[in-house]
Amino acid sequence: MTASREKSEPRKLPMMPIRDMVIFPHMMTPFVVGRESSVRALEEALNGDRKIFLATQHDASIDEPKAKDIYQVGSICNIVQSVKMPDGNIKVLVEGVERAKSMEVNDRDGFFVATVRTGKTQFEMTPAVEQLMQRVTSLFEQYVKLQQSLNYETIIATVRMDEPAKLSDVIAANLQIGIEEKQELLAIFDPAARLARLADVLDIEIEKLDLDRNIQSRVKRQMERAQKEYYLNEKIKAIQKELGRGEKSEFDELRKKIEAAGMPKDVLDKAIQELKKLEAMPPMSAESTVSRNYIDWLLAVPWKKRSKETRSIEYAEKVLNEDHYGLEKIKERILEFLAVRQLVKNPKGSILCFVGPPGVGKTSLGMSIAKSTGRKFVRLSLGGVRDEAEIRGHRRTYIGAMPGQIIQHMKRAGTKNPVFLLDEVDKISSDFRGDPASALLEVLDPEQNTTFQDHYLDVDYDLSQVLFVATANVLHTIPPALQDRMEILRLQGYTEQEKLEIARQYLVKKQREQTGLSEKNIVFKDDAILEIIRYYTREAGVRNLEREMGNVCRKVARKVVKAGAKHREEITAANVGEFLGVPKYRDSEAHEKSEIGLVTGLAWTEVGGSILTTEVQVLDGKGKLTVTGQLGDVMQESAQAALSYIRSKAHALGLTREFYRNMDLHLHVPEGAIPKDGPSAGITMATALASALAKIPVRRDIAMTGEITLRGKVLPIGGLKEKLLAALRAGIFEAILPKSNEKDVAELPENIKNSMKLHFVDSMDEVLALALEGPLPVAVPTEAAVLAAVPAAELGGNLPAQQ
């Protein structure tokens, strides 16, 4: 359709603002006139040619609108009929003639007079216009079908016409849309543009009505289903009653299960009460689901079922020896526990905590305890747990609430006396949701855990017959109150010989089975296993050793598949590199010669012992001490204490009292990428400083460890076994140790006692006398006689065992 709009001559007409409606041309519309200004405008029109300009207000709440409160575009209407009503209002019927736009609005004698201009559009019909009219008519028919408040037959009859302008106006007038959208359609003078806009509006309205219809249909179906289920349930109840069965079935079964569960009286009462509530609830209600889940949990938790314990000490010892090599103290404690179980009828549950480096067998010890006692075994990993509800559960008021992990694992165990392993108890954290470690205080206290309360169950549950076993790598991250509730058993790292035996007896067989090999396919020589231990692993346990042996087995398995089942591979120290590549680690070795300011110290980490070289260089300067090597706060403070001691002994070192004013001291501990901390390097750093300042070399064949005080006293250290093993690996057979550690010799392995010469000292003066190759420039006044070096094997025979 080609269209052109011709401007008409302006004309003045009485104007009436209308509210909550838009009047379109070609439409007959009744409404009531009550405002005084509107009555006067109506009378003016009736006295003239019965033409009036009707325009909609922006805001219907304004009783006396101004010209700016009225839309500019409205309709010129004929007043068909007017009837005065008893209350003084006038009922009017008007017919829209054409749309017009007000150019000017004036107030005359209490009513509005508008100067309006109509816009007549000339156009011709084209196929595009006919197609648009058909589309709009089709959409409107869909709209009327979906819109239940419109009479389909009446409305469809009124829109069957060939004039685009009239069609668009009739449809727009019958749409149930907002005043603003109707006014927008009225303001479009071009019929084609009006039809296009109308098509968009109808698309949106049909989509809305479809959505409403789908929602109503879904709600209706759900209501019908619920009503149907209710009707059928009532019918079933009536049939059962007629048959003499009553309303029993499921609820009777639940009642029997509750009575047979062996619950304590208070728990039984609560379960019966909850069952009665469940019977009174509609089956499909959300509350009934919550109650049913609660009853199911009460029934799932073991209240009286127990594992029959195996109390044979001989069998338990056999199982522990089969599963673990070494660990004699741990095995003794477990056997003591079993012995007490035989003598005491109802002993309280014990809480053991195994503390040691990764890979030494803490978790597998828990499994062996369960196996040796005939109990069920459950494991709860606490690493990263930061929510108290993980331990105690959520209250039933929360959607999706469940019991805590303690109750869930008791359900999994199925008995009330399992071995319960709390793995990685040192890695619990806390945040705004609570502190799980605090929740564990009740669980691990034998005096309190008889009445453990889970937030979900909200009843007392007896955990006193559970054997709790906790594992941790370190103790300092476990709260003191929690440590106090556990018996701490320390598992130290394995020696090379122990690792060799573990590999022989357990790991080789296990890895052969996992890779499908037999004894004929692969043989590990002892020197090959030692090669892997020394140069491919660096750990206190055997986890990486097992992994590396698995790597070798997989490579051999590949060769067996290629060469045939008879292929045989012998793994030796010479060819282990072909399977594992370049060695990952190197053993720290003793220095080639004795040097000034270079001392060999001993260190202990979570993965075992190592030697720690400390070196000092004297430089020109102003008395500054520089400490490097990524040392922690404690180690830096030890360096300061060592320097203060050396300054106090300046005369003994042949130095003036103010020697430090003209020099700087640089203390460095190599392998700077590795963080280091702890006080046990105190005497090592003091010896390095004394050597550098006195210019006397330190013996290359001696290592040392010990904490130092400002007065030169040597304090005890930990990890003695691991440190001396590191010295042996480095080829050092003499060590200086604190006097207070002399009692620990009894617990050292025989190979250390027989191979090493140990010097036990009380003061730094004794350390310098043993470590320096030459005498100091001035005799050092010793605080105690220098302890003569005695072979450790001789010392060990007369020493009491550590208490």
Side-chain angles (χ1 to χ4, degrees), residues 28-45:
M28 299 285 283
T29 309
F31 59 95
V32 176
V33 178
R35 288 185 290 196
E36 186 179 347
S37 58
S38 297
V39 171
R40 289 184 180 181
L42 181 64
E43 290 172 350
E44 179 68 18

Side-chain angles (χ1 to χ4, degrees), residues 388-400:
E388 182 201 355
E390 289 284 338
I391 307 297
R392 287 186 175 276
H394 289 92
R395 300 192 185 280
R396 281 190 290 156
T397 51
Y398 294 103
I399 295 173

Side-chain angles (χ1 to χ4, degrees), residues 127 173 279 372 443 646 725:
E279 289 178 5
S372 63
V443 175
I646 294 299
L725 285 172

Side-chain angles (χ1 to χ4, degrees), residues 125-422:
M125 293 291 291
T126 64
V129 174
E130 290 177 357
Q131 187 176 0
L132 185 58
M133 289 176 65
Q134 289 175 5
R135 179 167 179 261
V136 170
T137 304
S138 174
L139 287 171
F140 186 65
E141 286 181 5
Q142 291 181 48
Y143 174 82
V144 174
K145 285 179 182 177
L146 293 170
Q147 184 61 263
Q148 298 176 357
S149 60
L150 297 175
N151 186 302
Y152 178 80
E153 298 295 335
T154 306
I155 296 296
I156 294 305
T158 60
V159 297
R160 287 176 180 155
M161 55 190 69
D162 298 331
E163 294 180 34
K166 188 173 182 181
L167 176 68
S168 60
D169 286 337
V170 171
I171 290 176
N174 284 287
L175 288 180
Q176 296 188 2
I177 57 178
I179 296 298
E180 289 80 10
E181 288 177 281
K182 282 194 173 186
Q183 182 64 39
E184 180 187 356
L185 289 168
L186 181 66
I188 301 173
F189 283 76
D190 183 2
R194 196 156 63 244
L195 281 170
R197 176 60 186 152
L198 205 53
D200 292 340
V201 172
L202 282 166
D203 275 332
I204 294 169
E205 291 302 309
I206 289 170
E207 191 174 343
K208 289 180 184 176
L209 290 169
D210 270 331
L211 183 61
D212 286 342
R213 191 175 186 179
N214 289 337
I215 292 171
Q216 287 177 3
S217 173
R218 195 178 305 124
V219 171
K220 185 178 179 182
R221 282 199 303 272
Q222 288 175 350
M223 290 177 66
E224 286 173 352
R225 191 185 304 119
Q227 289 171 351
K228 180 181 177 182
E229 287 178 359
Y230 177 79
Y231 171 78
L232 290 174
N233 281 327
E234 292 299 314
K235 197 97 170 175
I236 289 169
K237 289 177 183 178
I239 292 170
Q240 288 178 340
K241 198 169 184 180
E242 283 295 315
L243 292 171
R245 295 178 187 171
E247 300 180 4
K248 297 181 179 179
S249 64
E250 185 181 3
F251 294 125
D252 275 357
E253 289 294 323
L254 282 175
R255 188 180 297 275
K256 288 177 183 176
K257 288 180 181 178
I258 289 170
E259 290 170 352
M263 300 176 184
K265 187 178 183 308
D266 57 334
V267 181
L268 179 64
D269 292 344
K270 185 156 189 174
I272 296 295
Q273 181 185 2
E274 197 70 30
L275 182 62
K276 289 178 179 176
K277 285 168 59 179
L278 179 62
E279 289 178 5
M281 291 178 187
M284 298 302 295
S285 68
E287 291 83 0
S288 70
T289 305
V290 172
S291 285
R292 179 58 193 263
N293 287 342
Y294 178 70
I295 292 172
D296 286 344
W297 269 107
L298 284 177
L299 291 171
V301 175
W303 296 98
K304 66 176 181 179
K305 187 179 178 183
R306 297 167 46 88
S307 297
K308 187 177 180 181
E309 288 189 54
T310 305
R311 298 192 176 185
S312 168
I313 301 291
E314 293 77 16
Y315 175 73
E317 189 170 5
K318 179 185 174 185
V319 169
L320 291 171
N321 287 330
E322 284 176 354
D323 291 350
H324 295 86
Y325 179 82
L327 306 175
E328 299 304 329
K329 287 185 67 177
I330 305 298
K331 292 177 183 176
E332 284 178 17
R333 177 64 187 88
I334 295 168
L335 295 174
E336 289 166 7
F337 163 76
L338 295 178
V340 172
R341 301 287 299 184
Q342 287 191 9
L343 298 174
V344 180
K345 187 176 181 181
N346 290 312
K348 291 183 179 178
S350 299
I351 292 93
L352 305 177
C353 181
F354 298 143
V355 179
V360 295
K362 299 184 296 295
T363 303
S364 59
L365 261 175
M367 297 173 69
S368 295
I369 293 172
K371 182 179 175 183
S372 63
T373 57
R375 296 181 178 212
K376 292 292 183 70
F377 176 78
V378 285
R379 172 182 168 271
L380 170 59
S381 179
L382 295 172
V385 172
R386 57 178 66 245
D387 187 357
E388 182 201 355
E390 289 284 338
I391 307 297
R392 287 186 175 276
H394 289 92
R395 300 192 185 280
R396 281 190 290 156
T397 51
Y398 294 103
I399 295 173
M402 290 182 70
Q405 291 293 332
I406 299 294
I407 294 297
Q408 288 190 39
H409 281 71
M410 290 302 294
K411 173 194 171 186
R412 194 172 303 161
T415 61
K416 62 184 298 186
N417 64 335
V419 174
F420 200 127
L421 183 73
L422 299 170

Side-chain angles (χ1 to χ4, degrees), residues 569-616:
E569 200 77 44
E570 191 173 90
I571 313 300
T572 65
N575 67 0
V576 73
E578 298 174 14
F579 297 93
L580 296 180
V582 178
K584 298 178 182 178
Y585 304 98
R586 61 179 179 84
D587 262 341
S588 302
E589 295 179 356
H591 316 305
E592 294 181 1
K593 61 177 183 177
S594 301
E595 295 184 36
I596 295 171
L598 186 64
V599 185
T600 302
L602 297 174
W604 177 78
T605 66
E606 290 183 9
V607 295
S610 65
I611 68 169
L612 201 66
T613 302
T614 303
E615 51 190 14
V616 171

Side-chain angles (χ1 to χ4, degrees), residues 2 10 33 35 109 121 317 345 353 358 374 463 573 682 715 723 760:
T2 58
V33 178
R35 288 185 290 196
D109 300 328
T121 305
E317 189 170 5
K345 187 176 181 181
C353 181
L463 294 172
L715 303 182
K723 290 179 178 180
F760 294 95

